[in-house]
Amino acid sequence: MAGKVKREKWSENFSEWYNELIETAGIQDKRYPVKGMNIWLPYGLKIMRNIERFIHSEMERTGHDEVLFPALIPETEFQKEAEHIAGFEGEVFWVTHAGHDPLDIRLILRPTSETAMYSMFSLWIRSHADLPFKVYQIVNTYRYETKHTRPLIRVREISRFFEAHTAHDSYEDAERQIKEDLEIFDNLAKFLAIPYIVSKRPEWDKFPGAYYSLGAEVMMPDGRTLQIGTMHNYKQNFAKAYNIQYETEEGEHEYVHQTTFGMSERLLAAVMAIHGDDNGLVLPPTIAPIQVVIVPIPKKDAEADVFAYAREIAEELRDAGIRVHVDERDIRPGRKYYDWEMKGVPVRIEVGPRDVKGKKAVIARRDTLTKEVVDREELVDAVRKTFDEIMENLYQRASEFLESHIKRVDTIEEAKDVFEDRRGIVEIPWCGEEECGLKMEEELDAKMLGTPYPEEKAKEGIEGKKCPVCGREAKFIARFARTY
């Protein structure tokens, strides 16, 4: 039985669609009296926790230990790395008083934790035997956003900020760590059925204090990109500022090489945006708090007990490790379908008197809105198979959307036409000079995401191409997009 997936509002009026869904699907309440600080509601938090459970397991698999640092950082520590301060100073929240008394040393609410952690790293790391040193935490961080705030995407309290911090005995080992971060991120993206691209940020847009930065982006329904992961190699920059040294096997003292890896609740924003449709959320079964909802459909005068039958099925699915809920509310079935579709529950099972008699059930898929009748004894297998099909379909659909929104051009004019037409990501030859890059940003009213990563991708197909600004030979492909 076929259904029809509609994505009109989703694509044509994404902003409104998204803001409504944050509320109606029970993700967050944005009416808290501080702008840009929102309240996690139970359903949204359950989804986020399921995403984080996977992150924790990946951290464990790769030998990272969890820590938890205080949220306040003394101004004296914050000021040790000059580039870092310059990058964050304009957006930190200051704590200046304790009760009525001004503080001797002002405190900041962490915008990120380098300056909180690294004075401690210099105490903890002593010898080459302590390396590689790998820790992470998931905490709230604070940045005074002046741009238009948007739940999960641009906020003043990033409440589920994941940050991994590592220290190594060489640049090569730090590079190995970046590769591991990319592998972790790839596993997570597959778990969420999300396709993405990775770019090496241009010098003028790298993380303050980094040697280089990588960013992972997804394509949103309105053709803008959303950054959902970053990896930074710091070389010895912070180690020198915070005096993080170790004793080598030869007894010399060396500064460590450091990396970080960051993500946040933007992961959930990406899942909502990329997989959703006009009926609401479409959750991958991997992270859905309820994977199967069972809706009993009683008929007047029917002998069969649809409720008992529904509970039996639920029991069986639960025993198979599936998260299931029976909706026994006294409202019309259509209303129930509407509610659970909005909340993105991957599979709905409908049971009426005829199903009880014939030992059958109807399985409805959220992603395609299609239904099929299955035999009761095959139900568990059918549900599992449906989960796999949903994951595959979500990933496939999103990949096609991403790929159809990346366009390679040679000139600024062509690039402008692409942005006029359907937004997305435009790839243009670039000489590598900052001046030309900034000029293109200005002309296109778009941001340079950077060059494709890994590096060999950044040079694919640029033989004989010229930089459209200065006319010199192009060294890289540069990606531009309108961003969140």
Side-chain angles (χ1 to χ4, degrees):
M1 290 180 270
K4 181 81 179 86
V5 175
K6 274 177 65 180
R7 297 184 105 181
E8 278 161 34
K9 185 167 184 182
W10 172 87
S11 71
E12 284 156 33
N13 205 340
F14 171 66
S15 201
E16 191 183 319
W17 175 91
Y18 178 80
N19 285 330
E20 275 175 19
L21 198 56
I22 285 281
E23 216 164 291
T24 51
I27 306 298
Q28 285 194 332
D29 192 324
K30 46 184 185 285
R31 294 173 295 182
Y32 190 69
V34 183
K35 183 177 181 278
M37 297 189 183
N38 304 314
I39 302 151
W40 281 94
L41 297 173
Y43 192 67
L45 193 55
K46 277 179 182 152
I47 305 169
M48 195 62 218
R49 292 274 193 242
N50 287 340
I51 296 173
E52 286 170 7
R53 198 168 290 130
F54 185 82
I55 295 172
H56 284 299
S57 72
E58 282 292 287
M59 287 289 101
E60 194 147 310
R61 177 182 73 77
T62 52
H64 289 74
D65 287 317
E66 190 177 10
V67 292
L68 192 53
F69 271 73
L72 293 171
I73 302 171
E75 184 174 13
T76 45
E77 291 304 320
F78 178 59
Q79 283 180 337
K80 284 182 180 172
E81 211 291 321
E83 278 180 42
H84 191 74
I85 309 171
F88 281 106
E89 204 169 25
E91 52 182 55
V92 294
F93 287 91
W94 290 97
V95 177
T96 58
H97 284 68
H100 297 296
D101 307 321
L103 293 172
D104 293 343
I105 295 174
R106 299 189 302 167
L107 305 169
I108 65 162
L109 273 172
R110 61 176 161 223
T112 171
S113 299
E114 283 73 8
T115 60
M117 288 186 172
Y118 297 165
S119 55
M120 299 308 297
F121 279 24
S122 70
L123 303 176
W124 294 344
I125 295 168
R126 283 282 169 249
S127 122
H128 61 88
D130 298 326
L131 302 173
F133 179 82
K134 300 160 75 164
V135 294
Y136 78 99
Q137 61 179 10
I138 299 178
V139 293
N140 32 14
T141 58
Y142 299 85
R143 297 176 188 179
Y144 186 71
E145 275 295 349
T146 49
K147 286 186 185 167
H148 184 64
T149 59
R150 190 185 298 267
L152 307 179
I153 291 178
R154 190 165 287 287
V155 288
R156 290 176 177 173
E157 179 185 52
I158 305 167
S159 56
R160 310 304 307 152
F161 185 77
F162 160 88
E163 47 180 337
H165 294 255
T166 68
H168 307 267
D169 62 7
S170 66
Y171 179 71
E172 289 68 37
D173 201 54
E175 284 290 271
R176 237 196 319 277
Q177 183 58 49
I178 298 282
K179 286 201 169 58
E180 181 179 86
D181 295 342
L182 287 162
E183 174 202 313
I184 293 166
F185 187 80
D186 193 60
N187 292 343
L188 175 62
K190 287 195 175 84
F191 182 74
L192 303 175
I194 283 180
Y196 62 95
I197 56 162
V198 176
S199 308
K200 186 173 186 174
R201 295 280 181 254
E203 280 296 302
W204 62 90
D205 192 36
K206 62 184 187 182
F207 181 83
Y211 171 58
Y212 73 77
S213 294
L214 304 179
E217 253 87 24
V218 293
M219 182 57 62
M220 300 292 264
D222 58 1
R224 290 208 270 171
T225 60
L226 178 71
Q227 171 184 291
I228 58 167
T230 51
M231 300 89 189
H232 312 288
N233 190 328
Y234 293 160
K235 267 194 162 172
Q236 295 169 308
N237 195 2
F238 282 96
K240 286 173 180 164
Y242 288 85
N243 196 27
I244 311 170
Q245 297 191 44
Y246 70 99
E247 196 175 323
T248 66
E249 292 186 50
E250 292 72 46
E252 308 278 313
H253 283 272
E254 282 284 345
Y255 288 109
V256 297
H257 286 258
Q258 288 171 273
T259 79
T260 56
F261 173 19
M263 299 183 285
S264 72
E265 57 262 41
R266 278 184 166 201
L267 290 165
L268 177 51
V271 168
M272 290 176 65
I274 290 168
H275 299 318
D277 62 26
D278 288 357
N279 291 16
L281 286 183
V282 179
L283 292 175
T286 46
I287 58 167
I290 298 169
Q291 294 169 309
V292 176
V293 65
I294 304 175
V295 179
I297 306 167
K299 290 270 194 304
K300 276 207 175 80
D301 309 328
E303 309 248 310
D305 186 347
V306 290
F307 294 101
Y309 187 68
R311 286 181 214 124
E312 277 168 32
I313 290 175
E315 201 55 41
E316 195 180 331
L317 291 172
R318 224 168 262 132
D319 289 346
I322 292 163
R323 299 187 287 273
V324 61
H325 173 74
V326 181
D327 188 347
E328 299 194 26
R329 291 177 298 167
D330 189 14
I331 54 175
R332 292 199 319 281
R335 184 61 220 273
K336 295 181 184 183
Y337 300 169
Y338 175 85
D339 286 353
W340 297 114
E341 279 176 10
M342 184 180 301
K343 285 188 172 289
V345 174
V347 171
R348 182 176 74 234
I349 293 176
E350 303 164 11
V351 293
R354 252 201 313 211
D355 300 303
V356 180
K357 277 210 174 70
K359 289 198 167 62
K360 293 192 185 305
V362 175
I363 289 187
R365 266 175 71 162
R366 174 64 186 92
D367 61 328
T368 55
L369 301 174
T370 51
K371 294 182 182 190
E372 61 168 332
V373 180
V374 295
D375 288 330
R376 169 87 163 79
E377 60 265 25
E378 284 163 20
L379 198 55
V380 172
D381 288 342
V383 166
R384 284 215 179 104
K385 185 166 151 283
T386 305
F387 287 168
D388 291 342
E389 287 168 1
I390 290 172
M391 288 300 287
E392 204 169 311
N393 176 49
L394 291 180
Y395 187 75
Q396 204 46 47
R397 179 171 74 174
S399 295
E400 284 165 19
F401 187 80
L402 172 63
E403 279 154 29
S404 70
H405 282 76
I406 301 177
K407 192 127 176 47
R408 179 75 62 99
V409 299
D410 288 334
T411 67
I412 303 276
E413 286 317 308
E414 288 175 280
K416 282 182 178 167
D417 292 344
V418 173
F419 280 132
E420 280 306 299
D421 178 34
R422 55 181 327 192
R423 290 238 180 100
I425 295 163
V426 179
E427 297 185 332
I428 312 179
W430 174 46
C431 63
E433 291 299 318
E434 184 165 327
E435 200 183 326
C436 294
L438 291 169
K439 182 90 179 113
M440 287 198 267
E441 282 194 337
E442 194 186 323
E443 292 252 332
L444 295 172
D445 186 25
K447 192 174 162 195
M448 188 195 284
L449 301 178
T451 53
Y453 189 88
E455 255 112 11
E456 52 272 18
K457 277 193 178 169
K459 298 186 185 306
E460 275 173 15
I462 56 159
E463 297 74 34
K465 300 282 187 196
K466 300 270 182 275
C467 172
V469 179
C470 66
R472 280 177 300 208
E473 194 183 326
K475 293 189 181 149
F476 308 101
I477 286 299
R479 288 174 172 152
F480 292 83
R482 309 264 161 90
T483 63
Y484 272 98

